[in-house]
């Protein structure tokens, strides 16, 4: 016979729901999107909780603290434009889940290559479990992503688009690696990198949401273009935050990429204005940079207009995204939510 204490209290379920919602507080102003993100995260947990041993523990850790989940949100938001949105809601959620698992697979592998110690304010998988388990965790998520997509997509078109996107992501990441310690990297090379690194997955997310909800390919390609613009603006803002915020706010180490020879927009643009040569001199120190020298780089990047130039570019890509939205998509609640989200991302501080 159960004691009274064995039964859940009347308040326990609301408390649990509130605790779950707190992990998705970024979406407090978007209740339907928040609900979808909570359910998508639970789909992921249902899958990874079945994996035994250290690999299972590593996968559970990966999703213990969800990120913003912007990419699956793009799937669901653009999916809402389609004529089949309601009847295919469950399939869209699972397709969005495939996008989020793909994204996290790339993050795990990125952390291995970059030897990053932190992810979302917690020890990275490769730091906590070692590189072998981290490689397997990333590979498992790639496989899970493909399984979820192939089981729920209406045609091979989405699967092919997913495969091409994975290829473009790898090319973008490789180009970044090839440009390590290249102080002469051009603006075009940098923009191509961030399109491959970030823009194409945002593009896929918007495309696949629109297409799988019943819209024609030609219309879905308009969604893809919006996503690529949004992704590039998002990455530019991410790179700006390296020079304008702290590690505790941003939830990842800042400026360490400079020591590793990975130069982002604000630094690239500041180097172009470095008439004294001091910034070049500092950057060339690479792994030998001290904390004081990193702080000097941060100040010079701001003083030489690197952050300002990057922000102008972020504004430019945001404007392109918004013009796409206003030209090609109906003026309804969904479009208003996407517009609001786009503006929030441009002004975010984390």
């Amino acid at each position: 016979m159960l004691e009274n204490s064995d039964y859940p209290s009347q308040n326990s379920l609301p408390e649990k729901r509130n605790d779950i919602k707190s992990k998705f507080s970024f979406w407090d102003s978007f209740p339907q999107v928040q609900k979808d993100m909570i359910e998508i995260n639970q789909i992921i947990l249902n899958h990874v909780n079945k994996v035994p041993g250290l690999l299972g523990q590593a996968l559970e850790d990966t999703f213990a603290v969800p990120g913003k989940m912007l990419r699956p949100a793009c799937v669901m938001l653009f999916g809402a434009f389609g004529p089949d949105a309601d009847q295919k809601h469950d399939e869209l959620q699972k397709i969005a889940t495939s996008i989020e698992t793909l994204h996290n697979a790339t993050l795990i592998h990125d952390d291995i290559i970059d030897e990053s110690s932190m992810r979302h304010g917690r020890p990275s998988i490769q730091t906590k479990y070692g590189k072998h388990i981290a490689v397997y965790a990333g590979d498992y998520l790639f496989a899970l992503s493909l399984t979820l997509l192939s089981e729920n997509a209406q045609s091979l078109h989405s699967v092919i688009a997913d495969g091409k996107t994975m290829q473009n992501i790898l090319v973008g990441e490789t180009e970044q690696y090839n440009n390590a310690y290249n102080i002469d990297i051009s603006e075009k090379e940098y923009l191509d990198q961030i399109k491959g690194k970030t823009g194409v997955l945002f593009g896929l997310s918007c495309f696949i949401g629109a297409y799988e909800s019943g819209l024609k390919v030609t219309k879905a390609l308009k969604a893809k273009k919006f996503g690529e613009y949004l992704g590039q603006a998002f990455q530019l803002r991410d790179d700006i935050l390296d020079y304008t915020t702290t590690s505790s706010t941003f939830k990842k180490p800042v400026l360490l990429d400079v020591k590793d020879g990975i130069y982002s927009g604000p630094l690239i643009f500041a180097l172009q204005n470095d008439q004294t040569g001091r910034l070049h001199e500092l950057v060339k120190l690479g792994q030998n940079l001290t904390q004081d020298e990193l702080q000097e780089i941060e100040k010079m990047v701001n003083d030489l207009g690197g952050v300002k130039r990057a922000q102008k570019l972020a504004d430019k890509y945001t404007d392109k995204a918004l013009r796409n939205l206003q030209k090609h998509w109906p003026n309804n609640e969904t479009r208003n939510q996407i517009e609001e989200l786009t503006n929030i991302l441009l002004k975010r501080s984390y």
Side-chain angles (χ1 to χ4, degrees):
M1 187 174 188
L2 292 172
E3 301 292 334
N4 288 338
S5 60
D6 293 320
Y7 290 98
S9 69
Q10 289 183 333
N11 295 327
S12 63
L13 290 179
E15 287 172 1
K16 186 175 181 181
R17 282 195 292 269
N18 288 336
D19 182 56
I20 292 171
K21 281 185 69 175
S22 70
K23 294 182 179 180
F24 299 86
S25 58
F26 179 83
W27 298 106
D28 281 348
S29 299
F30 307 85
Q32 181 56 51
V33 178
Q34 185 179 61
K35 181 176 182 292
D36 282 328
M37 295 309 100
I38 291 170
E39 290 173 359
I40 287 166
N41 193 63
Q42 189 58 52
I43 294 170
I44 295 172
L45 293 176
N46 290 343
H47 281 279
V48 302
N49 287 346
K50 298 173 185 175
V51 181
L54 277 178
L55 177 58
Q57 292 176 34
L59 290 168
E60 288 178 26
D61 265 7
T62 299
F63 298 100
V65 178
K68 296 181 185 70
M69 298 184 69
L70 294 168
R71 294 151 191 86
C74 285
V75 175
M76 300 310 295
L77 283 166
F78 274 88
F81 284 121
D84 302 334
D86 291 337
Q87 70 185 67
K88 289 195 171 181
H89 185 262
D90 289 350
E91 287 86 353
L92 282 170
Q93 278 195 344
K94 289 171 185 172
I95 290 168
T97 302
S98 80
I99 296 293
E100 183 66 3
T101 53
L102 171 59
H103 173 56
N104 277 273
T106 66
L107 295 182
I108 291 172
H109 284 176
D110 283 352
D111 288 344
I112 297 168
I113 293 168
D114 300 339
E115 297 190 356
S116 298
S117 60
M118 302 292 287
R119 174 65 63 181
H120 294 153
R122 293 158 56 92
S124 64
I125 298 305
Q126 66 106 11
T127 297
K128 188 170 181 179
Y129 295 95
K131 291 183 179 179
H132 288 86
I133 291 294
V135 168
Y136 295 142
D139 289 349
Y140 184 91
L141 292 179
F142 277 123
L144 176 58
S145 172
L146 184 57
T147 300
L148 286 165
L149 180 60
S150 60
E151 286 178 347
N152 293 282
Q154 64 177 332
S155 76
L156 278 176
H157 201 103
S158 293
V159 179
I160 292 169
D162 183 78
K164 288 181 177 178
T165 299
M166 289 173 66
Q167 291 173 344
N168 288 331
I169 291 170
L170 291 170
V171 169
E173 290 289 353
T174 305
E175 283 304 302
Q176 178 177 281
Y177 182 78
N178 289 340
N179 275 311
Y181 296 105
N182 178 14
I183 60 173
D184 297 318
I185 181 174
S186 68
E187 178 179 312
K188 182 182 183 305
E189 287 173 313
Y190 165 68
L191 292 175
D192 286 345
Q193 277 182 195
I194 65 172
K195 182 178 180 180
K197 179 180 177 180
T198 306
V200 293
L201 189 52
F202 272 91
L204 174 67
S205 303
C206 298
F207 170 87
I208 213 164
Y211 180 68
E212 290 294 334
S213 65
L215 294 173
K216 293 182 179 179
V217 171
T218 51
K219 190 72 170 178
L221 287 172
K222 301 289 194 304
K224 178 184 177 183
K225 184 57 69 176
F226 168 87
E228 289 175 349
Y229 291 147
L230 179 65
Q232 286 174 282
F234 177 84
Q235 187 60 54
L236 277 158
R237 185 61 185 160
D238 222 43
D239 292 342
I240 289 165
L241 290 173
D242 275 339
Y243 294 91
T244 58
T245 193
T246 63
S247 295
S248 58
T249 301
F250 204 20
K251 296 185 179 180
K252 70 176 187 180
V254 296
L255 292 186
L256 293 186
D257 278 352
V258 179
K259 297 181 76 170
D260 294 330
I262 306 300
Y263 307 145
S264 63
L267 177 58
I268 293 166
F269 306 141
L271 283 166
Q272 293 170 354
N273 297 331
D274 179 32
Q275 295 181 357
T276 68
R278 174 59 178 165
L279 184 57
H280 281 77
E281 178 186 322
L282 286 169
V283 169
K284 286 178 181 178
L285 292 173
Q287 290 292 339
N288 296 318
L289 281 162
T290 65
Q291 189 59 40
D292 286 344
E293 288 165 338
L294 284 171
Q295 289 176 354
E296 186 178 353
I297 288 174
E298 180 182 343
K299 184 177 186 303
M300 291 192 73
V301 166
N302 281 274
D303 292 346
L304 290 170
V307 169
K308 188 175 181 181
R309 170 64 180 148
Q311 187 60 53
K312 282 186 178 179
L313 273 174
D315 292 343
K316 173 185 171 182
Y317 280 103
T318 299
D319 288 344
K320 283 185 173 184
L322 291 173
R323 284 200 300 271
N324 172 291
L325 200 60
Q326 290 156 5
K327 182 177 180 180
H328 299 294
W329 302 96
N331 187 7
N332 58 21
E333 183 182 353
T334 297
R335 194 182 91 173
N336 292 339
Q337 286 184 324
I338 298 171
E339 286 181 359
E340 184 180 350
L341 174 62
T342 302
N343 286 309
I344 287 172
L345 292 178
L346 183 67
K347 297 171 184 175
R348 69 194 170 93
S349 60
Y350 64 97

